[in-house]
Amino acid sequence: MSLFGLGSRNQKTFRPKKSAPSGSKGAQLQKHIDATLGSGNLREAVRLPPGEDINEWLAVNTVDFFNQVNILYGTLTEFCTPSNCPTMTAGPKYEYRWADGITIKKPIEVSAPKYVEYLMDWIEVQLDDESIFPQKLGAPFPPNFQDVVKTIFKRLFRVYAHIYHTHFQEIVSLKEEAHLNTCFKHFVLFTWEFRLIDKGELAPLYDLVESILQL
């Protein structure tokens, strides 16, 4: 996304960038996102454009937020290693274990980089599944589409929580804190607008979330 372009020095993507789904419709909505973000008003940028389908809007933004987290985390891979981060934590109180319900049914303890790898792989499978994220214009979304989107956003939040709690000093040393804060503010405003993450899940960063939402 144009507003969130990092300098070439840190352009280490964790994996290839995904493009917007839903054919020309997705591209059109992506242009709307870029235009509204360019105005600098994030609260306005997250709102459903008049006359647009909510699922189309959620789909395009899901890809966008996936790409943002992917780029941010990609700048930290030399710091977020199995030896530095043997578990996926967000401060001393919160630890996340991985399960996808298919190949790994019982939650397992893994290192933070392994958790993020599992997570990004899992999200890519969802995004590439045309029965969940249809690519063709006008193709129907499945009945459980919003549940899938909620799970994706809940898990992407955990990457932000890990970054803030464990790697903020590295972010500062890379001079990326403004970029991180803007990405996270956009993420919080979007998830709040569409009620995508339960309040309890936000606990590891609740003070920050509260200050963004000005509750």
Side-chain angles (χ1 to χ4, degrees), residues 134-152:
Q135 297 289 325
K136 293 189 178 71
L137 197 57
F141 286 87
N144 69 332
F145 176 71
Q146 292 189 17
D147 291 333
V148 174
V149 167
K150 284 177 180 177
T151 304
I152 290 172

Side-chain angles (χ1 to χ4, degrees), residues 45-99:
V46 300
R47 290 195 185 114
L48 179 67
E52 294 297 348
D53 177 71
I54 187 169
N55 287 338
E56 292 273 10
W57 185 238
L58 290 174
V60 172
N61 277 279
T62 301
V63 173
D64 233 13
F65 285 111
F66 167 77
N67 285 330
Q68 279 179 39
V69 174
N70 179 18
I71 290 169
L72 270 169
Y73 184 76
T75 66
L76 294 169
T77 49
E78 66 191 283
F79 309 109
C80 190
T81 62
S83 54
N84 289 342
C85 303
T87 53
M88 179 66 174
T89 58
K93 287 190 195 168
Y94 301 96
E95 181 190 321
Y96 301 116
R97 297 183 176 212
W98 178 257

